[in-house]
Amino acid sequence: MRIFIAIALFIVCFGSILFIFWKQEVKFSLPTPVPSNLEIVEQGDSVKLPQLSNFIGKPLYIHFYNYDCPCSRFNMKEFELMVAKFSDKVNFLAIVESSGETTSNAGKEFKEKYELNIPTISDTDGALAKELGIYSTPQAVLIKDNKIFYKGNYNKARFCTSKNTKFAEMALQALIKNESPPDFPLLATIPYGCELPSHSRQESGLSNLFNF
């Protein structure tokens, strides 16, 4: 009997370790599942959003942040450095979501926590993310002359530690130098990280419609 109990405890413990490893590591190294209702927005596409009409005179760098995403939190140090380094050359904007029932205070909390002195929008219903074809974090969108200059990942590494694959910063440097967007591998544009809460809610709502 003791042998069976020991085996059962081992299975439970081993299963728990595998689950934690999946939840904290493996799933973030895999591409984020593509939403069924995704609107495709690609490099070179025109962007006309009323919410962005105040950003004129300089190119616009949009940072998507999800409070509940560990990848977003690890990514903040790199984003803060970019704001400090390039804020005189481009406009920075943070678009914030949260998995809570409401994200109306998420933008305010973001500004108070990081003190970046940049405009911040709480994308409560995910409208801006949808219009820009974003469904994962951390992600960056660079806009120049009302067109998508770059849309994709910050880095191939979850902790943004790979100096040779700082895709977002490399794209920003090319933009500032008036160069064409770099020819990045697919690793730069296939979203990795956490699904945005707004997409999760939309997918859940669509599923419930068909559960009679």
Side-chain angles (χ1 to χ4, degrees):
M1 184 67 178
R2 291 181 179 178
I3 294 177
F4 288 113
I5 293 175
I7 293 174
L9 287 174
F10 174 78
I11 292 173
V12 170
C13 291
F14 186 68
S16 299
I17 292 172
L18 286 178
F19 175 76
I20 292 172
F21 182 65
W22 160 260
K23 191 173 181 62
Q24 297 298 326
E25 297 292 338
V26 177
K27 78 173 184 177
F28 295 122
S29 67
L30 300 174
T32 307
V34 181
S36 59
N37 61 341
L38 177 68
E39 293 191 13
I40 304 299
V41 179
E42 299 178 333
Q43 181 179 305
D45 287 352
S46 296
V47 177
K48 293 182 180 179
L49 297 174
Q51 301 96 319
L52 307 182
S53 60
N54 292 330
F55 297 95
I56 57 176
K58 295 180 184 177
L60 177 61
Y61 186 112
I62 302 177
H63 171 71
F64 280 86
Y65 180 86
N66 174 5
Y67 261 100
D68 307 291
C69 177
C71 301
S72 276
R73 294 194 294 272
F74 292 134
N75 168 254
M76 277 305 300
K77 183 177 180 180
E78 181 170 354
F79 180 62
E80 288 172 320
L81 290 173
M82 292 175 68
V83 172
K85 187 176 181 180
F86 299 109
S87 59
D88 61 329
K89 298 178 175 65
V90 301
N91 289 313
F92 282 92
L93 168 67
I95 297 181
V96 185
E97 285 198 27
S98 170
S99 63
E101 293 184 3
T102 175
T103 63
S104 58
N105 293 322
K108 180 180 178 182
E109 293 174 5
F110 179 90
K111 294 183 74 171
E112 292 175 349
K113 181 176 182 178
Y114 294 109
E115 299 181 343
L116 293 173
N117 195 31
I118 63 173
T120 305
I121 295 177
S122 297
D123 196 19
T124 308
D125 57 359
L128 279 170
K130 183 179 180 181
E131 289 293 332
L132 292 171
I134 297 293
Y135 59 91
S136 177
T137 53
Q139 288 275 287
V141 177
L142 280 66
I143 299 176
K144 181 179 181 181
D145 298 328
N146 295 319
K147 291 185 178 181
I148 301 291
F149 185 86
Y150 172 77
K151 183 172 79 78
N153 300 317
Y154 275 80
N155 200 302
K156 76 168 186 178
R158 175 184 172 186
F159 296 97
C160 297
T161 54
S162 176
K163 294 182 179 180
N164 295 326
T165 59
K166 290 190 173 184
F167 303 124
E169 183 172 347
M170 292 164 68
L172 179 55
Q173 290 176 338
L175 182 151
I176 291 171
K177 294 177 183 177
N178 250 351
E179 297 175 350
S180 300
D183 187 17
F184 290 131
L186 286 176
L187 191 60
T189 56
I190 297 177
Y192 289 78
C194 309
E195 185 180 15
L196 280 174
S198 58
H199 278 290
S200 297
R201 289 191 292 268
Q202 290 167 12
E203 290 290 302
S204 176
L206 287 173
S207 296
N208 290 335
L209 286 176
F210 295 98
N211 290 333
F212 297 102

Coordinates of all heavy atoms in Angstrom, one line a residue, residues 42-125:
E42 N 0.1 44.7 -41.8 CA 1.4 44.4 -42.1 C 2.3 45.6 -42.3 O 1.7 46.7 -42.5 CB 1.5 43.5 -43.3 CG 0.8 42.1 -43.1 CD 0.8 41.3 -44.4 OE1 0.9 41.9 -45.5 OE2 0.7 40.1 -44.3
Q43 N 3.6 45.4 -42.4 CA 4.5 46.5 -42.7 C 4.1 47.2 -44.0 O 3.9 46.6 -45.0 CB 5.9 46.0 -42.8 CG 7.0 47.0 -43.1 CD 8.4 46.4 -43.1 OE1 8.8 45.7 -42.2 NE2 9.1 46.6 -44.2
G44 N 4.1 48.5 -44.0 CA 3.7 49.3 -45.1 C 2.2 49.7 -45.2 O 1.9 50.6 -46.0
D45 N 1.4 49.0 -44.4 CA 0.0 49.4 -44.4 C -0.3 50.7 -43.8 O 0.4 51.2 -42.9 CB -0.8 48.3 -43.6 CG -0.9 47.0 -44.3 OD1 -0.5 46.9 -45.5 OD2 -1.4 46.0 -43.7
S46 N -1.3 51.4 -44.3 CA -1.6 52.8 -43.8 C -2.4 52.6 -42.5 O -3.1 51.7 -42.3 CB -2.5 53.5 -44.8 OG -1.7 53.8 -46.0
V47 N -2.2 53.6 -41.6 CA -2.9 53.6 -40.3 C -3.6 54.9 -40.2 O -3.0 56.0 -40.3 CB -1.8 53.5 -39.2 CG1 -2.5 53.6 -37.8 CG2 -1.1 52.2 -39.3
K48 N -4.9 54.9 -39.9 CA -5.7 56.1 -39.7 C -6.6 55.8 -38.4 O -7.7 55.3 -38.5 CB -6.6 56.4 -40.9 CG -5.8 56.8 -42.1 CD -6.7 57.2 -43.3 CE -5.9 57.6 -44.5 NZ -6.7 57.9 -45.7
L49 N -6.0 56.2 -37.3 CA -6.7 56.0 -36.0 C -6.9 57.4 -35.4 O -6.0 58.1 -35.1 CB -5.9 55.1 -35.1 CG -5.7 53.7 -35.6 CD1 -4.7 53.0 -34.6 CD2 -7.0 53.0 -35.7
P50 N -8.2 57.7 -35.1 CA -8.5 59.0 -34.4 C -7.7 59.2 -33.1 O -7.3 60.3 -32.7 CB -10.0 59.0 -34.2 CG -10.5 58.0 -35.2 CD -9.4 57.0 -35.3
Q51 N -7.5 58.1 -32.4 CA -6.8 58.2 -31.1 C -5.4 58.6 -31.2 O -4.8 59.1 -30.2 CB -6.9 56.8 -30.4 CG -8.2 56.3 -30.1 CD -8.7 55.3 -31.2 OE1 -8.4 55.6 -32.4 NE2 -9.3 54.2 -30.9
L52 N -4.8 58.5 -32.4 CA -3.4 58.8 -32.6 C -3.2 60.2 -33.3 O -2.1 60.5 -33.7 CB -2.7 57.7 -33.4 CG -2.9 56.3 -32.9 CD1 -2.1 55.3 -33.8 CD2 -2.4 56.2 -31.4
S53 N -4.3 60.9 -33.5 CA -4.3 62.2 -34.3 C -3.4 63.2 -33.6 O -2.9 64.2 -34.3 CB -5.7 62.7 -34.5 OG -6.3 63.0 -33.3
N54 N -3.2 63.2 -32.3 CA -2.4 64.2 -31.6 C -0.9 64.0 -31.8 O -0.1 64.9 -31.5 CB -2.7 64.2 -30.1 CG -4.1 64.6 -29.8 OD1 -4.7 65.5 -30.6 ND2 -4.7 64.1 -28.8
F55 N -0.5 62.8 -32.3 CA 0.9 62.6 -32.5 C 1.4 63.0 -33.9 O 1.3 62.2 -34.9 CB 1.2 61.1 -32.3 CG 0.9 60.6 -30.9 CD1 -0.4 60.1 -30.6 CD2 1.8 60.8 -29.8 CE1 -0.7 59.7 -29.3 CE2 1.5 60.4 -28.5 CZ 0.3 59.8 -28.3
I56 N 1.9 64.2 -34.0 CA 2.3 64.7 -35.3 C 3.7 65.3 -35.2 O 4.2 65.6 -34.1 CB 1.3 65.8 -35.8 CG1 1.2 66.9 -34.8 CG2 0.0 65.2 -36.1 CD1 0.4 68.1 -35.2
G57 N 4.4 65.4 -36.3 CA 5.7 66.0 -36.3 C 6.8 65.0 -36.2 O 7.9 65.2 -36.7
K58 N 6.6 63.9 -35.5 CA 7.6 62.9 -35.3 C 7.0 61.5 -35.6 O 5.8 61.3 -35.4 CB 8.2 62.9 -33.8 CG 8.9 64.2 -33.4 CD 9.3 64.0 -32.0 CE 10.0 65.2 -31.4 NZ 10.3 65.0 -30.0
P59 N 7.9 60.6 -35.9 CA 7.4 59.2 -36.0 C 6.9 58.7 -34.6 O 7.2 59.3 -33.6 CB 8.7 58.4 -36.4 CG 9.6 59.4 -37.0 CD 9.3 60.7 -36.3
L60 N 6.0 57.7 -34.6 CA 5.4 57.2 -33.4 C 5.8 55.8 -33.1 O 5.8 54.9 -33.9 CB 3.9 57.3 -33.5 CG 3.0 56.8 -32.4 CD1 3.3 57.6 -31.1 CD2 1.6 56.8 -32.7
Y61 N 6.3 55.6 -31.8 CA 6.6 54.3 -31.3 C 5.6 53.9 -30.3 O 5.4 54.5 -29.3 CB 8.0 54.4 -30.7 CG 8.6 53.0 -30.2 CD1 9.7 52.5 -30.9 CD2 8.0 52.3 -29.2 CE1 10.2 51.3 -30.5 CE2 8.6 51.1 -28.8 CZ 9.7 50.6 -29.4 OH 10.2 49.4 -29.1
I62 N 4.9 52.8 -30.6 CA 3.8 52.3 -29.7 C 4.3 51.0 -29.0 O 4.7 50.1 -29.6 CB 2.5 52.0 -30.5 CG1 2.1 53.2 -31.2 CG2 1.4 51.5 -29.6 CD1 0.8 53.0 -32.1
H63 N 4.2 51.1 -27.7 CA 4.6 49.9 -26.9 C 3.3 49.3 -26.3 O 2.5 50.0 -25.6 CB 5.5 50.4 -25.7 CG 5.8 49.4 -24.7 ND1 6.6 48.3 -24.9 CD2 5.4 49.3 -23.4 CE1 6.7 47.6 -23.8 NE2 5.9 48.2 -22.9
F64 N 3.1 48.0 -26.5 CA 1.9 47.3 -25.9 C 2.4 46.6 -24.7 O 3.4 45.8 -24.6 CB 1.4 46.3 -26.9 CG 0.5 46.9 -28.0 CD1 1.0 47.5 -29.1 CD2 -0.9 47.0 -27.8 CE1 0.2 48.1 -30.1 CE2 -1.7 47.7 -28.7 CZ -1.1 48.2 -29.9
Y65 N 1.6 46.9 -23.6 CA 2.0 46.3 -22.3 C 0.8 45.6 -21.6 O -0.4 46.1 -21.7 CB 2.4 47.5 -21.4 CG 2.8 47.0 -20.0 CD1 4.1 46.6 -19.7 CD2 1.9 47.1 -18.9 CE1 4.5 46.2 -18.4 CE2 2.3 46.7 -17.6 CZ 3.6 46.3 -17.4 OH 3.9 45.9 -16.1
N66 N 1.0 44.5 -21.0 CA 0.0 43.7 -20.4 C 0.4 43.5 -18.9 O 1.5 42.8 -18.7 CB -0.2 42.4 -21.1 CG -1.2 41.4 -20.4 OD1 -1.8 41.8 -19.3 ND2 -1.3 40.2 -20.9
Y67 N -0.3 44.0 -18.0 CA 0.1 43.9 -16.6 C 0.3 42.5 -16.1 O 1.1 42.3 -15.2 CB -1.0 44.6 -15.7 CG -0.7 46.0 -15.3 CD1 -1.3 47.1 -16.0 CD2 0.2 46.2 -14.2 CE1 -1.0 48.4 -15.6 CE2 0.5 47.5 -13.9 CZ -0.1 48.6 -14.5 OH 0.2 49.9 -14.2
D68 N -0.5 41.6 -16.6 CA -0.4 40.2 -16.1 C 0.6 39.3 -16.9 O 0.6 38.1 -16.6 CB -1.8 39.6 -16.2 CG -2.9 40.5 -15.5 OD1 -2.8 40.6 -14.3 OD2 -3.7 41.1 -16.2
C69 N 1.3 39.9 -17.8 CA 2.3 39.1 -18.6 C 3.7 39.3 -18.0 O 4.2 40.4 -18.0 CB 2.2 39.6 -20.0 SG 3.4 38.8 -21.1
P70 N 4.3 38.2 -17.6 CA 5.7 38.3 -17.1 C 6.7 38.7 -18.2 O 7.6 39.4 -17.9 CB 6.0 36.8 -16.7 CG 5.0 36.0 -17.4 CD 3.8 36.8 -17.5
C71 N 6.4 38.4 -19.4 CA 7.2 38.9 -20.5 C 7.2 40.4 -20.6 O 8.2 41.0 -20.9 CB 6.8 38.3 -21.8 SG 6.8 36.5 -21.9
S72 N 6.1 41.0 -20.4 CA 5.9 42.5 -20.4 C 6.7 43.1 -19.3 O 7.4 44.1 -19.5 CB 4.5 42.9 -20.3 OG 3.8 42.9 -21.6
R73 N 6.7 42.5 -18.2 CA 7.4 43.0 -17.0 C 8.9 42.9 -17.2 O 9.7 43.9 -16.9 CB 7.0 42.3 -15.7 CG 5.5 42.6 -15.3 CD 5.3 42.1 -13.9 NE 5.4 40.7 -13.8 CZ 4.4 39.8 -13.9 NH1 3.2 40.3 -14.3 NH2 4.5 38.5 -13.7
F74 N 9.4 41.8 -17.7 CA 10.8 41.6 -18.0 C 11.3 42.6 -19.1 O 12.4 43.0 -19.1 CB 11.1 40.2 -18.4 CG 10.9 39.2 -17.3 CD1 10.3 38.0 -17.5 CD2 11.4 39.4 -16.0 CE1 10.1 37.1 -16.5 CE2 11.2 38.5 -15.0 CZ 10.6 37.3 -15.3
N75 N 10.4 42.9 -20.0 CA 10.7 43.8 -21.1 C 10.8 45.3 -20.8 O 11.4 46.0 -21.5 CB 9.6 43.6 -22.2 CG 9.7 44.6 -23.3 OD1 8.8 45.5 -23.4 ND2 10.6 44.5 -24.2
M76 N 10.3 45.7 -19.7 CA 10.2 47.1 -19.3 C 11.6 47.8 -19.2 O 11.7 48.9 -19.6 CB 9.4 47.3 -18.0 CG 7.9 47.3 -18.3 SD 7.4 48.5 -19.5 CE 8.0 50.1 -18.8
K77 N 12.6 47.1 -18.8 CA 13.9 47.7 -18.6 C 14.4 48.1 -20.0 O 14.9 49.3 -20.2 CB 14.9 46.7 -18.0 CG 16.3 47.4 -17.8 CD 17.2 46.4 -17.1 CE 18.6 47.0 -16.8 NZ 19.5 46.1 -16.1
E78 N 14.3 47.3 -21.0 CA 14.7 47.6 -22.4 C 13.9 48.8 -22.9 O 14.4 49.7 -23.5 CB 14.6 46.4 -23.3 CG 15.0 46.7 -24.7 CD 15.1 45.5 -25.6 OE1 15.0 44.4 -25.1 OE2 15.4 45.6 -26.8
F79 N 12.6 48.8 -22.7 CA 11.7 49.9 -23.2 C 12.1 51.2 -22.5 O 12.2 52.2 -23.1 CB 10.3 49.5 -22.9 CG 9.3 50.6 -23.4 CD1 9.3 51.0 -24.7 CD2 8.5 51.3 -22.5 CE1 8.4 52.0 -25.2 CE2 7.6 52.3 -22.9 CZ 7.6 52.6 -24.3
E80 N 12.3 51.2 -21.2 CA 12.7 52.4 -20.5 C 14.0 53.0 -21.0 O 14.1 54.2 -21.2 CB 12.9 52.1 -19.0 CG 11.6 51.8 -18.2 CD 11.8 51.3 -16.8 OE1 12.7 50.5 -16.6 OE2 11.1 51.7 -15.9
L81 N 15.0 52.1 -21.4 CA 16.2 52.6 -21.9 C 16.0 53.2 -23.3 O 16.6 54.2 -23.6 CB 17.2 51.4 -22.1 CG 17.8 50.9 -20.7 CD1 18.6 49.6 -21.0 CD2 18.6 51.9 -20.0
M82 N 15.1 52.7 -24.1 CA 14.8 53.2 -25.4 C 14.1 54.6 -25.3 O 14.4 55.5 -26.1 CB 13.9 52.2 -26.2 CG 14.6 50.9 -26.6 SD 13.6 49.7 -27.3 CE 13.2 50.5 -28.9
V83 N 13.2 54.7 -24.3 CA 12.5 56.0 -24.1 C 13.6 57.1 -23.8 O 13.6 58.2 -24.3 CB 11.5 55.9 -23.0 CG1 10.9 57.3 -22.7 CG2 10.3 55.0 -23.5
A84 N 14.5 56.7 -22.8 CA 15.5 57.7 -22.4 C 16.4 58.1 -23.5 O 16.9 59.2 -23.6 CB 16.3 57.1 -21.2
K85 N 16.7 57.1 -24.4 CA 17.7 57.3 -25.5 C 17.1 58.0 -26.7 O 17.8 58.8 -27.4 CB 18.3 56.0 -25.9 CG 19.4 56.1 -26.9 CD 20.0 54.7 -27.2 CE 21.1 54.7 -28.1 NZ 21.7 53.3 -28.4
F86 N 15.8 57.8 -27.0 CA 15.3 58.2 -28.3 C 14.1 59.2 -28.2 O 13.5 59.6 -29.2 CB 14.9 57.0 -29.2 CG 16.0 56.1 -29.5 CD1 16.1 54.9 -28.9 CD2 17.0 56.5 -30.4 CE1 17.1 54.0 -29.2 CE2 18.0 55.6 -30.7 CZ 18.1 54.4 -30.1
S87 N 13.7 59.6 -27.0 CA 12.4 60.4 -26.9 C 12.5 61.8 -27.5 O 11.5 62.4 -27.8 CB 12.1 60.5 -25.4 OG 13.1 61.2 -24.7
D88 N 13.7 62.2 -27.8 CA 13.9 63.5 -28.5 C 13.7 63.4 -30.0 O 13.5 64.4 -30.7 CB 15.2 64.1 -28.2 CG 16.4 63.3 -28.7 OD1 16.2 62.0 -28.7 OD2 17.4 63.9 -29.1
K89 N 13.6 62.1 -30.5 CA 13.6 61.9 -31.9 C 12.2 61.3 -32.4 O 11.8 61.4 -33.5 CB 14.7 61.0 -32.4 CG 16.1 61.6 -32.2 CD 17.2 60.6 -32.6 CE 18.5 61.2 -32.5 NZ 18.9 61.5 -31.1
V90 N 11.5 60.6 -31.5 CA 10.2 60.0 -31.8 C 9.3 60.2 -30.7 O 9.7 60.4 -29.5 CB 10.4 58.5 -32.1 CG1 11.3 58.2 -33.2 CG2 10.8 57.7 -30.8
N91 N 8.0 60.1 -31.0 CA 7.0 60.1 -29.9 C 6.8 58.7 -29.4 O 6.6 57.8 -30.2 CB 5.6 60.7 -30.5 CG 5.7 62.1 -30.8 OD1 6.1 62.9 -29.9 ND2 5.2 62.5 -32.0
F92 N 6.7 58.5 -28.1 CA 6.5 57.2 -27.5 C 5.0 57.2 -26.9 O 4.6 58.2 -26.4 CB 7.5 56.9 -26.4 CG 8.8 56.5 -26.9 CD1 9.8 57.4 -27.1 CD2 9.1 55.1 -27.2 CE1 11.1 57.0 -27.6 CE2 10.3 54.7 -27.6 CZ 11.3 55.7 -27.8
L93 N 4.4 56.1 -27.1 CA 3.0 55.9 -26.6 C 2.9 54.5 -26.0 O 3.4 53.5 -26.6 CB 2.0 56.0 -27.7 CG 0.6 55.6 -27.3 CD1 -0.1 56.5 -26.3 CD2 -0.3 55.6 -28.6
A94 N 2.4 54.3 -24.8 CA 2.2 53.0 -24.2 C 0.7 52.7 -24.2 O -0.1 53.5 -23.8 CB 2.7 53.0 -22.7
I95 N 0.4 51.5 -24.7 CA -1.0 51.1 -24.7 C -1.1 49.9 -23.8 O -0.4 48.9 -23.9 CB -1.4 50.6 -26.1 CG1 -1.4 51.9 -27.1 CG2 -2.8 50.0 -26.1 CD1 -1.8 51.6 -28.5
V96 N -2.0 50.0 -22.8 CA -2.0 49.1 -21.6 C -3.2 48.3 -21.5 O -4.3 48.9 -21.7 CB -1.7 49.9 -20.3 CG1 -1.6 49.0 -19.1 CG2 -0.5 50.8 -20.4
E97 N -3.1 47.1 -21.2 CA -4.3 46.2 -20.9 C -4.1 45.4 -19.6 O -2.9 45.3 -19.1 CB -4.5 45.2 -22.1 CG -5.1 45.8 -23.3 CD -5.7 44.8 -24.2 OE1 -6.1 43.7 -23.7 OE2 -5.8 45.0 -25.5
S98 N -5.2 44.9 -19.1 CA -5.1 44.1 -17.9 C -6.2 43.0 -18.0 O -7.2 43.2 -18.7 CB -5.4 45.0 -16.7 OG -5.5 44.1 -15.5
S99 N -6.0 41.9 -17.4 CA -7.0 40.8 -17.5 C -8.1 41.0 -16.5 O -9.0 40.2 -16.4 CB -6.3 39.5 -17.2 OG -5.8 39.5 -15.8
G100 N -8.1 42.1 -15.7 CA -9.2 42.4 -14.8 C -10.5 42.7 -15.5 O -10.5 42.8 -16.8
E101 N -11.6 42.8 -14.8 CA -12.9 43.1 -15.5 C -12.8 44.4 -16.2 O -13.5 44.7 -17.1 CB -14.0 43.0 -14.4 CG -14.2 41.7 -13.9 CD -15.4 41.6 -12.9 OE1 -16.0 42.7 -12.7 OE2 -15.7 40.6 -12.3
T102 N -12.0 45.4 -15.7 CA -11.9 46.6 -16.3 C -10.4 47.0 -16.4 O -9.7 46.7 -15.5 CB -12.7 47.7 -15.6 OG1 -12.5 49.0 -16.2 CG2 -12.3 47.8 -14.1
T103 N -10.0 47.7 -17.5 CA -8.7 48.2 -17.6 C -8.6 49.7 -17.5 O -7.6 50.3 -17.9 CB -8.0 47.7 -18.9 OG1 -8.7 48.2 -20.0 CG2 -8.0 46.2 -19.0
S104 N -9.7 50.3 -17.1 CA -9.8 51.8 -17.1 C -8.7 52.5 -16.3 O -8.3 53.6 -16.6 CB -11.2 52.2 -16.6 OG -11.4 51.8 -15.3
N105 N -8.2 51.8 -15.2 CA -7.2 52.4 -14.4 C -5.8 51.9 -14.8 O -4.8 52.4 -14.1 CB -7.4 52.1 -12.9 CG -8.7 52.8 -12.4 OD1 -9.0 54.0 -12.8 ND2 -9.5 52.1 -11.6
A106 N -5.7 51.0 -15.7 CA -4.4 50.4 -16.0 C -3.4 51.5 -16.5 O -2.2 51.4 -16.2 CB -4.6 49.3 -17.1
G107 N -3.8 52.4 -17.4 CA -3.0 53.4 -17.9 C -2.4 54.3 -16.8 O -1.2 54.6 -16.8
K108 N -3.3 54.7 -15.9 CA -2.8 55.6 -14.7 C -1.8 54.8 -13.9 O -0.8 55.4 -13.5 CB -4.1 56.0 -13.9 CG -3.7 56.9 -12.7 CD -5.0 57.2 -12.0 CE -4.6 58.1 -10.7 NZ -5.9 58.4 -9.9
E109 N -2.1 53.6 -13.6 CA -1.2 52.8 -12.8 C 0.2 52.6 -13.5 O 1.2 52.6 -12.8 CB -1.8 51.4 -12.5 CG -3.0 51.5 -11.6 CD -3.7 50.2 -11.4 OE1 -3.2 49.2 -11.9 OE2 -4.8 50.1 -10.8
F110 N 0.1 52.4 -14.8 CA 1.4 52.3 -15.5 C 2.2 53.5 -15.4 O 3.4 53.5 -15.2 CB 1.0 52.0 -17.0 CG 2.2 51.8 -17.9 CD1 2.8 50.6 -18.1 CD2 2.8 52.9 -18.6 CE1 3.9 50.4 -18.9 CE2 3.9 52.8 -19.4 CZ 4.4 51.5 -19.6
K111 N 1.6 54.7 -15.6 CA 2.3 56.0 -15.5 C 2.9 56.2 -14.1 O 4.1 56.7 -14.0 CB 1.4 57.1 -15.9 CG 0.9 57.1 -17.3 CD 0.1 58.3 -17.7 CE 0.9 59.5 -17.8 NZ 0.1 60.7 -18.4
E112 N 2.2 55.9 -13.1 CA 2.7 56.1 -11.7 C 3.8 55.1 -11.4 O 4.7 55.5 -10.7 CB 1.5 55.9 -10.8 CG 0.5 57.0 -10.8 CD -0.7 56.7 -9.9 OE1 -0.8 55.6 -9.4 OE2 -1.6 57.7 -9.8
K113 N 3.7 53.9 -11.9 CA 4.7 52.9 -11.6 C 6.0 53.1 -12.3 O 7.1 53.0 -11.7 CB 4.2 51.5 -12.0 CG 5.1 50.4 -11.6 CD 4.5 49.0 -11.9 CE 5.5 47.9 -11.5 NZ 4.9 46.5 -11.8
Y114 N 6.0 53.5 -13.6 CA 7.2 53.6 -14.3 C 7.7 55.0 -14.5 O 8.9 55.2 -14.9 CB 7.1 52.9 -15.7 CG 6.9 51.4 -15.5 CD1 5.6 50.8 -15.8 CD2 7.9 50.6 -15.1 CE1 5.4 49.4 -15.6 CE2 7.7 49.2 -15.0 CZ 6.5 48.6 -15.2 OH 6.3 47.3 -15.1
E115 N 6.9 56.0 -14.4 CA 7.3 57.4 -14.5 C 8.1 57.7 -15.7 O 9.2 58.3 -15.6 CB 8.1 57.8 -13.2 CG 7.3 57.7 -11.9 CD 8.1 58.1 -10.7 OE1 9.3 58.1 -10.8 OE2 7.4 58.3 -9.6
L116 N 7.6 57.3 -16.9 CA 8.3 57.5 -18.1 C 8.0 58.8 -18.8 O 8.7 59.2 -19.7 CB 8.0 56.4 -19.1 CG 8.5 55.0 -18.7 CD1 7.9 53.9 -19.7 CD2 10.0 54.9 -18.7
N117 N 7.0 59.5 -18.3 CA 6.6 60.8 -18.8 C 6.2 60.7 -20.3 O 6.6 61.5 -21.1 CB 7.7 61.8 -18.6 CG 7.2 63.3 -18.8 OD1 6.0 63.5 -18.6 ND2 8.0 64.1 -19.3
I118 N 5.5 59.6 -20.6 CA 5.0 59.5 -22.0 C 3.5 59.3 -22.0 O 2.9 58.8 -20.9 CB 5.7 58.3 -22.7 CG1 5.3 57.0 -22.0 CG2 7.2 58.5 -22.8 CD1 5.8 55.7 -22.8
P119 N 2.8 59.6 -23.0 CA 1.3 59.4 -23.1 C 1.0 57.9 -22.9 O 1.7 57.0 -23.4 CB 0.9 59.9 -24.4 CG 2.0 60.8 -24.9 CD 3.2 60.2 -24.3
T120 N -0.1 57.6 -22.2 CA -0.5 56.2 -22.0 C -2.0 56.1 -22.2 O -2.8 56.9 -21.7 CB -0.1 55.8 -20.5 OG1 1.2 56.0 -20.3 CG2 -0.5 54.3 -20.3
I121 N -2.4 55.0 -22.9 CA -3.8 54.8 -23.2 C -4.2 53.4 -22.6 O -3.5 52.4 -22.8 CB -4.1 54.8 -24.7 CG1 -3.8 56.1 -25.3 CG2 -5.5 54.3 -25.0 CD1 -4.0 56.2 -26.8
S122 N -5.3 53.4 -21.8 CA -5.9 52.1 -21.4 C -6.8 51.6 -22.5 O -7.9 52.2 -22.8 CB -6.7 52.3 -20.1 OG -5.9 52.8 -19.0
D123 N -6.4 50.6 -23.2 CA -7.1 50.0 -24.3 C -8.2 49.0 -23.8 O -8.0 47.8 -23.9 CB -6.2 49.3 -25.3 CG -6.8 49.1 -26.6 OD1 -7.8 49.7 -27.0 OD2 -6.2 48.2 -27.4
T124 N -9.2 49.6 -23.2 CA -10.2 48.8 -22.4 C -10.8 47.6 -23.2 O -10.8 46.5 -22.7 CB -11.3 49.7 -21.9 OG1 -10.7 50.8 -21.2 CG2 -12.2 49.0 -20.9
D125 N -11.2 47.9 -24.4 CA -11.9 46.9 -25.2 C -11.0 46.3 -26.3 O -11.4 45.5 -27.1 CB -13.2 47.4 -25.8 CG -12.9 48.6 -26.7 OD1 -11.7 49.1 -26.8 OD2 -13.9 49.2 -27.3

